[in-house]
Amino acid sequence: MSTTPPESKMPIFVNLQTNDGVVHTVDIRLAHQLGETICGIMRMEEGCYSFDIIPLPRINGEIMAFIIKWCTLVQDLEDNVMTRSKEIFLNLLKKDMAQPHFLLQLLKASDYLGMENFTAVGAKLLAEAINTCRNSEEICYRFNVDRD
Amino acid sequence: MSGRKHRGFENMENLCPVTRKRSTSKNPASAVGALVSATKSSHYEHPSSPSALTFEALEEMGIGMLDSEESSSSALSAIALAVSASATSDDNSNETTPYASVPRMAHQLQHPQRLSLGSSADTTQDSTAVEDALSRQSTEKLQLLSQSKRSAVGTEGGSNSNSPSKRLRNPLAAVTCNNQSETASPLNFQPSTSRLAQVRQAKKSSSTQNSARLVPTDSFFVYRTPAMSAHISSGINYFDRLSDEIVLDIFKWLPKKTLLRMATVCRRFNRCSRDETLWTRLDLGLRTIRPGALEQIVRRGVLVIRLAQASVQEPAFAPSSAGFRARLQYLDLSMASISRSSLRTLLSHCRQLKKISLENTELDDSICTEIAKNKALEAVNLSMASGLTASSVRLMMESLTNLSSLNISWTDLSADAVTALVTHISPNVIRLNIAGCRRVLFDSHVASLQKRCPQLLELDLSDCNSLTPAAITAIMKFKMLEYLSVSRCYLIPASRFIELKGMPSLTYLDIFGMLSDAAMEVLEKQMPKMGINKFIHSSVSRPTVGTRRTSIWGLRTRD
């Protein structure tokens, strides 16, 4: 396995395996966006990019797919990532007709990965979702929180 | 996390009136209700594709609902979440049988929704029609759900055991929701509860035969059977999997009202919502603060409070409260109506104040003693305050060495007080307003002031009508003075003003009420570079200047 520089023109892929066994193949550039955790692992690997599989035991396949989708859409943005990326996030959620639980899982995953932007956007969206609840019973109800 | 005692609804009681007031003043419910009913009625006439319909309607509602400019999109997201939540949360009934086949889950999906649509009877009748409409969506969602459940059930075995208690609690929730929706206008309820209405709408556009059945929202909750309620409630609480930091990240975007609501949901939320980082600033201007509420507010660790024109009801502090140190740093009590004892108690807890405004409040010696103990004070505004004595002035000037701007105008200072002021004032003061010291401020005082604070930048001596031309001589010694006001100091003749041209640093001169228009013109010609009579109101130490009302001393008070 040769050491290849990250800026190589050849598309290099990184394999990420989520806890349900699905292997996601992502471009190296994208993978760098996927937060500190993955970057750290890749750095440790020291260039053995193409063949190794990075396990992500705490992340679901669905979640990973969503995050990758989001990253592919966001990676070309230069400035003002927050508002644009939030819109993108929203659109993706809408497309999937996602549930609040999904968003919560996403948040957990992005925290695990160490993706600050994603976590910030997700948190803001979730806050807005909470804000729409008229009273605490609703919050309980929607998010399945125990009352105590 | 600060280890605060869990007070449950007590706090809500005290804080709710504050927040409740805000809601009544803005009156969002009826506005949104109007919007909602308007859009919904229009949508009955124009069926279109499900997604467009839902999101359009919700966009309109969203605009009335949230203040942020992203309200529409956020409402959309919320609704999107809500719509799917209703569909899939019903599927959580399959908690006990996670590996049920998809068709069976689809069928069960229809069941709850049929029930929720108001018919308690047969579920088979419209199931096909409904199924057509939802099959695409539902199968996707169900697969999604089954996947997540498989992973979830393995780890969250504990949540199943919660189901019995949830079952007990849920009917109550259903009833409450129903009550609320009944008291309000039929379609008044926010999109989240009328999520069933959303589902209704989504299906409605695709299958109009449902329209006959789709009566207003409120009746839905009534017909939900206890069994179904149990199914809905026994879901996984994903919040438990999030760390507290993430929860705080979410909470920090919530407005205070929602934050308080969250505090009543569960213990963990209560603890998280009390975190000091969420309560750094608060704007309670023009509000009535109920008894005991001020203490709660201060105990939350608020850093910046605006209480301008608020009225604090007695007793603001519980008798036993002592010893805790408030984190308060910026306090604006301008024109507030607060009793001396409450004010004293409040200030006795504050030792880290940086800027304080007590404009037009009643003071006494003990209050001034407490103020003096805040060594870090930089700006003090005591304009029009009453109750200042020579000793209190002296004490404050001696203690507040970091003071940089002081406004002590129109406080009825005695001659002794003025003397104490100018002899003990901190040399760090660069902005000083002692306007309104009629017949007590003399030229000698100005001279002492100059010796004491040679670096003064801003000096307002308006209405100190005992000043004579000799004062100008003293003023000329200020080498760095940029702004001077001697408005209505009638003993100083106009001819002396031209001397002020000799001060290189002086840029602005206020001499209101001194010269006739003609004389003013002459003066302006003689002093072309001087800004004459530019500022009517002094801004020394004032928290809000001009029309800005949402910040004090440049610090935001609203989230």
Side-chain angles (χ1 to χ4, degrees):
Chain A
M1 299 189 186
S2 58
T3 317
T4 41
E7 298 89 56
S8 155
K9 294 286 185 212
M10 244 173 41
I12 302 167
F13 294 96
V14 176
N15 294 321
L16 307 166
Q17 184 175 35
T18 53
N19 60 5
D20 49 357
V22 179
V23 177
H24 305 264
T25 309
V26 293
D27 195 272
I28 189 88
R29 200 161 60 104
L30 195 66
H32 277 298
Q33 272 216 334
L34 288 175
E36 272 306 304
T37 319
I38 291 182
C39 279
I41 296 173
M42 290 200 297
R43 255 180 264 128
M44 284 200 302
E45 297 279 315
E46 277 186 63
C48 307
Y49 293 112
S50 312
F51 303 107
D52 281 2
I53 297 181
I54 298 175
L56 298 171
R58 287 180 188 265
I59 302 185
N60 206 357
E62 284 298 322
I63 309 281
M64 199 64 224
F66 187 98
I67 294 179
I68 290 170
K69 260 191 275 177
W70 183 83
C71 283
T72 44
L73 293 173
V74 163
Q75 68 181 352
D76 296 317
L77 289 180
E78 297 129 11
D79 290 326
N80 201 4
V81 190
M82 187 67 178
T83 43
R84 279 291 300 147
S85 63
K86 193 160 159 251
E87 286 165 25
I88 293 171
F89 202 124
L90 223 88
N91 292 329
L92 286 180
L93 277 175
K94 270 191 259 171
K95 263 194 260 166
D96 292 345
M97 293 293 281
Q99 48 209 342
H101 307 146
F102 191 63
L103 186 52
L104 282 165
Q105 281 177 309
L106 273 175
L107 222 48
K108 183 162 180 270
S110 74
D111 184 52
Y112 170 71
L113 289 172
M115 299 171 62
E116 273 181 35
N117 293 346
F118 195 78
T119 320
V121 176
K124 185 134 205 276
L125 279 175
L126 188 58
E128 282 162 9
I130 293 174
N131 210 9
T132 61
C133 294
R134 254 326 202 187
N135 52 35
S136 56
E137 280 100 2
E138 258 183 62
I139 297 172
C140 244
Y141 187 80
R142 272 234 250 149
F143 298 97
N144 275 316
V145 185
D146 272 348
R147 296 216 66 168
D148 56 3
Chain B
M1 288 296 158
S2 50
R4 301 250 153 86
K5 269 194 292 184
H6 175 67
R7 300 244 179 125
F9 274 85
E10 253 176 63
N11 291 338
M12 274 300 285
E13 284 297 308
N14 285 331
L15 288 164
C16 251
V18 172
T19 53
R20 217 183 282 145
K21 209 168 187 178
R22 216 176 277 167
S23 66
T24 49
S25 60
K26 281 197 199 146
N27 210 8
S30 53
V32 178
L35 276 169
V36 169
S37 41
T39 53
K40 286 216 172 144
S41 56
S42 67
H43 284 291
Y44 285 146
E45 285 139 16
H46 311 290
S48 49
S49 74
S51 48
L53 201 151
T54 317
F55 298 139
E56 254 173 51
L58 303 172
E59 191 155 9
E60 290 209 44
M61 289 184 277
I63 288 170
M65 187 165 68
L66 293 169
D67 282 337
S68 67
E69 74 236 84
E70 298 135 330
S71 58
S72 51
S73 56
S74 59
L76 291 174
S77 70
I79 304 319
L81 297 180
V83 178
S84 350
S86 66
T88 53
S89 63
D90 300 350
D91 279 325
N92 287 335
S93 62
N94 292 326
E95 190 72 17
T96 48
T97 57
Y99 299 101
S101 62
V102 171
R104 181 163 161 242
M105 286 164 97
H107 190 222
Q108 290 231 327
L109 177 66
Q110 311 312 326
H111 273 261
Q113 285 174 337
R114 290 306 313 130
L115 285 173
S116 68
L117 287 174
S119 71
S120 51
D122 57 74
T123 55
T124 53
Q125 254 188 8
D126 280 351
S127 59
T128 45
V130 180
E131 207 168 41
D132 287 338
L134 285 182
S135 55
R136 282 175 296 111
Q137 294 177 1
S138 51
T139 41
E140 281 175 32
K141 276 182 272 177
L142 293 168
Q143 275 158 6
L144 219 155
L145 193 63
S146 53
Q147 266 189 347
S148 58
K149 280 237 204 89
R150 246 174 253 134
S151 53
V153 169
T155 52
E156 291 271 305
S159 64
N160 283 340
S161 62
N162 288 331
S163 329
S165 47
K166 281 188 204 168
R167 228 170 266 142
L168 287 172
R169 253 180 255 137
N170 226 4
L172 199 58
V175 169
T176 320
C177 291
N178 186 39
N179 283 341
Q180 284 175 325
S181 55
E182 266 177 4
T183 50
S185 63
L187 298 171
N188 193 15
F189 225 8
Q190 282 301 330
S192 47
T193 351
S194 43
R195 86 175 83 156
L196 295 174
Q198 306 320 320
V199 176
R200 191 169 33 103
Q201 266 195 337
K203 292 187 297 183
K204 170 179 227 1
S205 52
S206 53
S207 55
T208 48
Q209 64 203 53
N210 281 330
S211 57
R213 293 174 161 272
L214 295 177
V215 274
T217 342
D218 15 346
S219 49
F220 298 157
F221 283 96
V222 180
Y223 297 125
R224 191 191 304 149
T225 63
M228 201 183 94
S229 314
H231 292 324
I232 292 171
S233 67
S234 61
I236 306 165
N237 179 10
Y238 284 97
F239 267 112
D240 284 342
R241 301 163 133 204
L242 293 177
S243 67
D244 279 352
E245 281 87 15
I246 304 184
V247 173
L248 282 181
D249 268 345
I250 296 168
F251 279 15
K252 78 174 183 231
W253 295 110
L254 295 175
K256 295 279 189 297
K257 196 156 81 160
T258 315
L259 192 58
L260 292 171
R261 213 180 279 149
M262 291 298 269
T264 62
V265 171
C266 67
R267 278 194 216 274
R268 183 177 178 223
F269 283 0
N270 192 305
R271 189 172 40 84
C272 288
S273 70
R274 281 167 192 276
D275 194 73
E276 289 163 344
T277 58
L278 299 170
W279 293 95
T280 48
R281 47 193 179 213
L282 208 50
D283 185 346
L284 297 169
L286 290 156
R287 294 190 187 273
T288 311
I289 316 286
R290 297 286 162 95
L294 191 56
E295 182 174 2
Q296 300 303 324
I297 293 165
V298 171
R299 273 187 192 267
R300 289 248 166 171
V302 188
L303 285 175
V304 179
I305 304 188
R306 178 168 176 262
L307 282 161
Q309 298 186 342
S311 82
V312 180
Q313 291 177 346
E314 284 301 298
F317 285 83
S320 60
S321 80
F324 81 90
R325 280 283 168 261
R327 292 169 75 212
L328 202 51
Q329 287 182 359
Y330 300 92
L331 174 60
D332 180 5
L333 277 165
S334 316
M335 323 274 195
S337 90
I338 180 172
S339 74
R340 286 193 165 101
S341 58
S342 294
L343 185 53
R344 187 188 323 126
T345 320
L346 170 63
L347 290 170
S348 68
H349 295 300
C350 302
R351 289 290 176 264
Q352 294 174 343
L353 283 176
K354 287 199 183 140
K355 298 196 183 182
I356 185 169
S357 172
L358 289 167
E359 188 162 331
N360 210 354
T361 51
E362 295 171 342
L363 308 175
D364 60 20
D365 281 348
S366 51
I367 292 174
C368 295
T369 318
E370 299 295 344
I371 296 174
K373 290 193 185 142
N374 290 280
K375 302 282 182 185
L377 267 177
E378 295 163 2
V380 173
N381 180 5
L382 296 172
S383 177
M384 295 190 276
S386 56
L388 284 174
T389 64
S391 54
S392 55
V393 168
R394 177 156 159 244
L395 179 62
M396 284 199 292
M397 291 304 114
E398 279 175 343
S399 318
L400 301 176
T401 49
N402 279 325
L403 202 59
S404 67
S405 75
L406 172 65
N407 187 335
I408 200 165
S409 56
W410 298 102
T411 46
D412 267 339
L413 292 177
S414 63
D416 289 336
V418 176
T419 316
L421 176 68
V422 296
T423 35
H424 296 281
I425 193 167
S426 159
N428 287 324
V429 172
I430 51 174
R431 295 180 206 286
L432 177 62
N433 182 342
I434 37 177
C437 298
R438 296 199 198 128
R439 292 188 291 278
V440 287
L441 188 82
F442 300 108
D443 306 330
S444 52
H445 291 128
V446 180
S448 334
L449 184 63
Q450 193 278 319
K451 285 199 201 78
R452 187 88 185 161
C453 308
Q455 293 165 327
L456 211 61
L457 292 180
E458 203 173 313
L459 179 60
D460 192 331
L461 295 165
S462 323
D463 293 286
C464 299
N465 41 25
S466 303
L467 291 178
T468 70
I472 299 287
T473 322
I475 289 169
M476 295 286 285
K477 294 196 192 129
F478 282 112
K479 295 297 164 217
M480 298 168 69
L481 198 66
E482 291 171 5
Y483 168 88
L484 172 70
S485 172
V486 283
S487 304
R488 296 172 290 274
C489 300
Y490 300 120
L491 295 177
I492 306 178
S495 51
R496 298 303 298 265
F497 294 142
I498 302 168
E499 283 176 36
L500 291 172
K501 219 171 152 187
M503 287 179 70
S505 55
L506 196 64
T507 332
Y508 296 102
L509 176 66
D510 277 355
I511 41 176
F512 288 101
M514 309 277 283
L515 301 175
S516 64
D517 288 345
M520 282 293 277
E521 275 186 39
V522 170
L523 192 67
E524 271 162 12
K525 282 207 195 80
Q526 286 175 326
M527 295 204 286
K529 288 198 204 132
M530 194 78 73
I532 300 182
N533 287 357
K534 297 285 178 204
F535 302 100
I536 297 180
H537 297 296
S538 167
S539 63
V540 176
S541 295
R542 284 237 159 84
T544 48
V545 179
T547 50
R548 267 179 295 151
R549 286 288 172 267
T550 56
S551 62
I552 54 174
W553 293 292
L555 297 161
R556 290 182 59 183
T557 52
R558 299 215 178 148
D559 296 320

